[in-house]
Amino acid sequence: VAEINLMHSSPSPTTAVHYLATKCVDTVKTHHKGSNWFMPWGPDQCSKIRDFDEAMAKRIEANNIVFAVHIPLPNREMSAWFQFMLVILQFDIAFRMQNQIEDGALVTMDVGLAYRDSTLSEWTEMAHSTEHRKLSCNFTATKTYENEGRYYECDLLPFMEVGSVAHKYYLLNIRLPVNERKKVNIGIGEIKDIRLVSIHQNGGFTKVWFAMKTFLTPSVLIIMIWYWRRITQMTRPPVLLEKIIFALGISMTFINMPVEWFSVGFNWTWMLLFGDIRQGIFYAMLLSFWIVFCGEHLMDQTERNRFSVYWKQVGPIVFGSFCLFIFDMCERGVQLKNPFYSIWASDVGTELAMAFIIVAGICACLYFLFLCFMVFQVFRNISGKRSSLPAMTKARRLHYEGLIFRFKFLMLVTLACAAMTVIFFIISQVNEGHWHWGGYTVQVNSAFFTGIYGMWNLYVFALMFLYAPSHKRYGDEQSSGETPGHGEDIQLTTTITHVDGPTEIYKMTGKEAQE
């Protein structure tokens, strides 16, 4: 109930704010001042021009024009609750017959980022870099003199990503240096304006997200300790299925730990990368668990309980997770040093990133189809074992039928959880990269985001509860002709567990090897 209330009360995950860069003039005098930062407004604002026609009239060179953007807007403050800041750039470029955009045009930018926490303090440099972005613009009208002055339709370009918002005010200064001899910023058209879109996580959503993680962490931790304690009380050693359920609980606890609370008080720019690593570990563990979970109910007694049997299925999952880690390190790892870096900035990087997202989506779908096939095999295997039920006593038969029904329900829940996980993974990948290939946006609703997270926790909680060994025995065991200790003792409990194995269903599916 608490999770449902959090889902309904959770605001939108992110907010996008639009900015129009102010054109500041860097005169010879300002070069020798103590501060080289240009403010677009306020008491220390720079000397400004309205457009480039005014610059030409005043004989101001392009190298002396600085595009300045203050984040946030006037009379507002940024907050550590915003968690991250992603900035997208777009050029307003006018068409001129004598100054058209050449094919493969590359814009070179001298960019600087500064911060301060008081309107009275000086700006402190946070990052400085020379960046290149390839223009992708389309002129929809006919290229004639009559259409001069009309604007190209240009794609959004990745500009900057900061992993924490530890300061109240940020200042961006962008220069477009021109060097005809080196062909720098030549053939890029007539740039009129620079527009930026700043995207950050909503503070309200952050608080709901932190509260949810803080509530779920002890819940899963307690059931995990209880689960492993029940297993260690058994006279037998734990089987593979019990071990991997415990490992899944550990990975869920790892991703649950609300270490993000520290990001509110500390400038930890690596939190985005750390969050991705935790997410990747959980994905790998969850996908591997589903393979073993289904496989252990298909294997006979000679094959099961050996992790090496699953190397063909688990191997690609581990390899895919490693590729995810390398891909993340190539962008967010580099951004720890240079927030202006983007793997999408080059043609090769864009093609690799696009190929990665497409291949990841295809592999996720193939995995789900393979899991559906395994679940079908498990259902068929269980249905074949039901032929032995009529020979049992009524009480025992009803007990087994109840176990089979609960087990099938759990398998269907597993399939539904897998489907939602695959959908969430694909949407997350598309949503993270949609700014980079155009205006096709897939919004991840906050209720869907928190709902998937809550679903994982409930699923792991239910698994550990259902598969915790029970010490209770079913009193009718002698009436069926079985002898104690044979391994077919039954417990009349709410779980589907067995004192000599993880489940009675598990033991049923492995009887052929014994027989």
Side-chain angles (χ1 to χ4, degrees):
V1 176
E3 288 175 12
I4 294 173
N5 289 333
L6 283 170
M7 286 166 55
H8 282 291
S9 62
S10 179
S12 177
T14 57
T15 294
V17 183
H18 296 259
Y19 299 90
L20 177 64
T22 300
K23 303 174 194 68
C24 294
V25 179
D26 185 6
T27 62
V28 178
K29 292 180 181 179
T30 58
H31 273 301
H32 300 283
K33 285 188 176 181
S35 174
N36 291 325
W37 297 100
F38 298 87
M39 267 287 290
W41 43 263
D44 298 324
Q45 62 183 281
C46 62
S47 57
K48 295 177 281 190
I49 56 173
R50 292 187 303 275
D51 50 41
F52 286 93
D53 292 334
E54 183 181 343
M56 292 179 66
K58 294 181 178 180
R59 296 185 178 181
I60 299 171
E61 295 182 1
N63 289 328
N64 289 332
I65 296 176
V66 180
F67 294 87
V69 175
H70 185 280
I71 300 176
L73 295 169
N75 301 319
R76 296 191 180 184
E77 293 181 357
M78 300 297 281
S79 168
W81 292 101
F82 293 165
Q83 292 293 288
F84 69 89
M85 182 167 57
L86 173 68
V87 180
I88 312 298
L89 178 145
Q90 186 175 38
F91 290 106
D92 286 348
I93 304 177
F95 171 73
R96 289 285 183 266
M97 287 294 291
Q98 303 302 321
N99 187 13
Q100 298 185 31
I101 298 177
E102 297 177 357
D103 292 336
L106 203 66
V107 176
T108 300
M109 297 178 290
D110 182 355
V111 293
L113 173 66
Y115 70 86
R116 67 182 182 183
D117 293 306
S118 170
T119 55
L120 302 176
S121 59
E122 292 293 325
W123 290 101
T124 303
E125 182 176 294
M126 184 173 174
H128 188 273
S129 177
T130 300
E131 295 295 322
H132 308 280
R133 297 292 186 269
K134 185 178 179 180
L135 289 177
S136 178
C137 300
N138 181 36
F139 192 66
T140 54
T142 308
K143 293 183 178 180
T144 60
Y145 282 100
E146 288 76 14
N147 288 323
E148 281 194 341
R150 298 183 66 172
Y151 285 84
Y152 286 88
E153 292 182 359
C154 295
D155 288 346
L156 299 167
L157 300 172
F159 183 64
M160 181 187 77
E161 186 169 14
V162 180
S164 69
V165 189
H167 305 286
K168 294 181 180 180
Y169 308 106
Y170 292 87
L171 180 64
L172 281 165
N173 280 182
I174 306 169
R175 298 172 185 265
L176 302 177
V178 177
N179 190 321
E180 293 186 14
R181 185 172 60 84
K182 295 182 179 180
K183 300 293 183 182
V184 176
N185 286 334
I186 302 299
I188 59 173
E190 187 177 305
I191 295 178
K192 292 289 189 181
D193 283 303
I194 294 180
R195 299 180 185 276
L196 299 179
V197 180
S198 171
I199 304 167
H200 61 260
Q201 188 165 294
N202 275 335
F205 175 78
T206 303
K207 292 173 184 177
V208 170
W209 183 243
F210 286 9
M212 190 174 181
K213 298 189 83 170
T214 304
F215 169 76
L216 289 172
T217 298
S219 304
V220 175
L221 186 61
I222 290 170
I223 190 72
M224 187 175 69
I225 294 172
W226 172 81
Y227 169 78
W228 193 247
R229 185 170 173 270
R230 298 298 289 266
I231 290 175
T232 54
Q233 289 175 349
M234 296 285 100
T235 54
R236 59 172 176 80
V239 297
L240 175 62
L241 193 58
E242 292 169 334
K243 291 177 183 177
I244 200 166
I245 290 175
F246 184 67
L248 182 64
I250 292 175
S251 65
M252 188 77 254
T253 304
F254 182 54
I255 199 175
N256 275 346
M257 287 190 301
V259 294
E260 290 87 350
W261 282 111
F262 293 103
S263 67
V264 178
F266 298 93
N267 186 17
W268 288 356
T269 56
W270 45 266
M271 282 302 297
L272 279 179
L273 180 62
F274 181 63
D276 287 346
I277 292 172
R278 290 199 297 173
Q279 187 85 11
I281 291 172
F282 178 73
Y283 273 138
M285 194 66 246
L286 188 62
L287 299 183
S288 300
F289 165 75
W290 283 329
I291 294 294
V292 175
F293 179 60
C294 293
E296 287 295 279
H297 291 93
L298 289 173
M299 300 284 184
D300 59 28
Q301 205 67 30
T302 58
E303 289 292 324
R304 63 172 47 167
N305 205 26
R306 289 192 295 130
F307 190 72
S308 58
V309 174
Y310 301 98
W311 72 269
K312 289 183 179 180
Q313 294 89 359
V314 176
I317 295 173
V318 175
F319 177 75
S321 300
F322 180 73
C323 291
L324 271 169
F325 172 72
I326 296 298
F327 177 76
D328 218 34
M329 286 298 295
C330 287
E331 183 161 41
R332 284 187 171 154
V334 178
Q335 284 172 348
L336 295 177
K337 291 291 184 181
N338 178 17
F340 299 105
Y341 173 81
S342 174
I343 197 172
W344 300 86
S346 63
D347 287 340
V348 175
T350 300
E351 289 173 3
L352 284 174
M354 283 291 293
F356 176 82
I357 291 174
I358 293 170
V359 170
I362 292 173
C363 290
C365 293
L366 290 175
Y367 171 87
F368 179 69
L369 292 176
F370 177 69
L371 189 65
C372 288
F373 173 73
M374 290 191 73
V375 171
F376 171 74
Q377 293 282 80
V378 172
F379 275 20
R380 192 172 64 175
N381 196 21
I382 292 296
S383 297
K385 303 296 181 182
R386 296 191 68 164
S387 58
S388 60
L389 294 183
M392 298 180 182
T393 61
K394 182 178 180 181
R396 177 178 280 261
R397 185 177 71 252
L398 291 174
H399 179 69
Y400 266 107
E401 286 177 349
L403 288 175
I404 291 173
F405 173 79
R406 291 200 292 272
F407 177 74
K408 284 188 173 182
F409 179 76
L410 179 62
M411 292 300 291
L412 291 175
V413 170
T414 295
L415 214 54
C417 185
M420 295 301 291
T421 300
V422 169
I423 292 170
F424 177 74
F425 173 77
I426 294 174
I427 289 179
S428 297
Q429 294 299 313
V430 173
N431 190 64
E432 189 168 317
H434 79 267
W435 286 108
H436 306 300
W437 65 70
Y440 296 98
T441 306
V442 181
Q443 284 291 343
V444 178
N445 185 275
S446 59
F448 179 64
F449 191 86
T450 53
I452 292 293
Y453 181 71
M455 177 194 70
W456 288 337
N457 277 274
L458 287 173
Y459 179 73
V460 173
F461 189 97
L463 279 172
M464 287 190 286
F465 175 74
L466 292 173
Y467 278 79
S470 173
H471 299 271
K472 297 178 182 179
R473 295 177 181 271
Y474 183 44
D476 194 34
E477 61 182 15
Q478 300 294 334
S479 62
S480 62
E482 299 281 359
T483 59
H486 180 62
E488 291 293 332
D489 306 325
I490 308 174
Q491 323 78 287
L492 189 61
T493 68
T494 57
T495 67
I496 54 174
T497 55
H498 192 274
V499 69
D500 297 317
T503 66
E504 296 176 67
I505 301 296
Y506 175 88
K507 296 182 70 64
M508 281 181 67
T509 56
K511 283 183 67 179
E512 285 182 356
Q514 297 176 6
E515 291 167 358

